[in-house]
Amino acid sequence: MLAKIHVTLKNGVLDPQGKAVNSALNDLGFKEVRNVQIGKYMEVLLDGVSESEAQKRVKEMCDKLLANTVIETYRFTLDSSKK
Amino acid sequence: MLAKIHVTLKNGVLDPQGKAVNSALNDLGFKEVRNVQIGKYMEVLLDGVSESEAQKRVKEMCDKLLANTVIETYRFTLDSSKK
C-alpha cells in the first residue's frame, strides 16, 4: 500500500520560502508569477496492511511526525496497487 | 492559472531525508513502514496566461529554478479554475 501525502502550510501562515521563490522567478523573467506556496510531498510504502488500517495509521503518522499541525495541514491518498 | 508541481528525486538517487523519516516512523511504532520518499510540492499562481503558454512557462521554471534536473524529476498539472 502506497500513501501519497501532501503537507502544506495553513492559510495565513507566512511562507518565506514561497516568497523567495516568487521573487526569484520574477527576477528570472517570469513576471506572470503572482504567488508561490511550497509544501512537502511524501510517499510512504506500507507493508501488509488493509486499506482501512492504512487510513488510520497514516493519519497517526501525519499527526505525530510528518506534519506540524499547528501551522501545517495534510491530506493523503492510498494506492493499493503498489506493494 | 494554478500550476501544481511535484518535484521528486530520480530513481536511484540516495534519499537520506526519506531514510531518516523511515527510521523515525519505525521507532515510533509504525513497523509497517517499509520505504519513505520525500519530495517537494509547489503551487504557482500565474497571471493572465493561456493554458498552452502556462504549460511552456512552467516547464521552463522547473528546468531553470524549481527542480535540479540532474537528480530530480518533476511533473505538474494546470488548474485553470483558479485565478
Side-chain angles (χ1 to χ4, degrees):
Chain A
M1 181 81 65
L2 187 70
K4 300 177 178 182
I5 306 167
H6 288 83
V7 178
T8 50
L9 285 173
K10 284 183 179 171
N11 278 338
V13 177
L14 220 64
D15 182 359
Q17 202 187 355
K19 290 272 170 290
V21 170
N22 193 342
S23 300
L25 285 170
N26 290 155
D27 292 347
L28 281 172
F30 298 103
K31 304 291 186 197
E32 70 273 36
V33 174
R34 213 174 58 188
N35 192 42
V36 178
Q37 285 185 304
I38 296 188
K40 280 171 285 183
Y41 171 68
M42 289 172 273
E43 291 190 347
V44 177
L45 190 65
L46 304 170
D47 229 5
V49 288
S50 70
E51 185 140 355
S52 62
E53 279 170 344
Q55 194 78 29
K56 189 170 148 281
R57 294 291 276 175
V58 173
K59 190 177 177 308
E60 266 183 61
M61 290 176 206
C62 289
D63 286 327
K64 282 195 183 163
L65 184 76
L66 303 179
N68 174 355
T69 53
V70 177
I71 55 167
E72 291 172 329
T73 181
Y74 63 84
R75 60 193 159 84
F76 61 88
T77 57
L78 296 171
D79 181 350
S80 56
S81 69
K82 298 276 171 60
K83 303 287 175 195
Chain B
M1 181 79 66
L2 188 70
K4 300 177 178 183
I5 306 167
H6 288 83
V7 177
T8 49
L9 285 173
K10 284 183 180 172
N11 277 338
V13 176
L14 219 63
D15 182 359
Q17 201 187 355
K19 289 271 170 291
V21 170
N22 193 343
S23 299
L25 285 171
N26 290 155
D27 292 347
L28 281 171
F30 298 102
K31 304 289 185 199
E32 70 272 38
V33 173
R34 211 173 59 187
N35 191 43
V36 178
Q37 285 185 304
I38 296 188
K40 281 170 285 184
Y41 172 67
M42 289 171 273
E43 291 189 345
V44 176
L45 190 65
L46 304 170
D47 229 5
V49 288
S50 70
E51 184 139 356
S52 63
E53 280 171 343
Q55 194 79 30
K56 190 171 147 281
R57 295 289 276 174
V58 173
K59 189 177 178 308
E60 267 183 63
M61 290 176 207
C62 289
D63 286 328
K64 282 195 182 162
L65 184 76
L66 303 180
N68 174 355
T69 54
V70 177
I71 56 167
E72 291 171 328
T73 182
Y74 63 85
R75 61 192 158 85
F76 62 88
T77 56
L78 296 172
D79 181 350
S80 55
S81 70
K82 297 276 170 64
K83 303 288 176 193

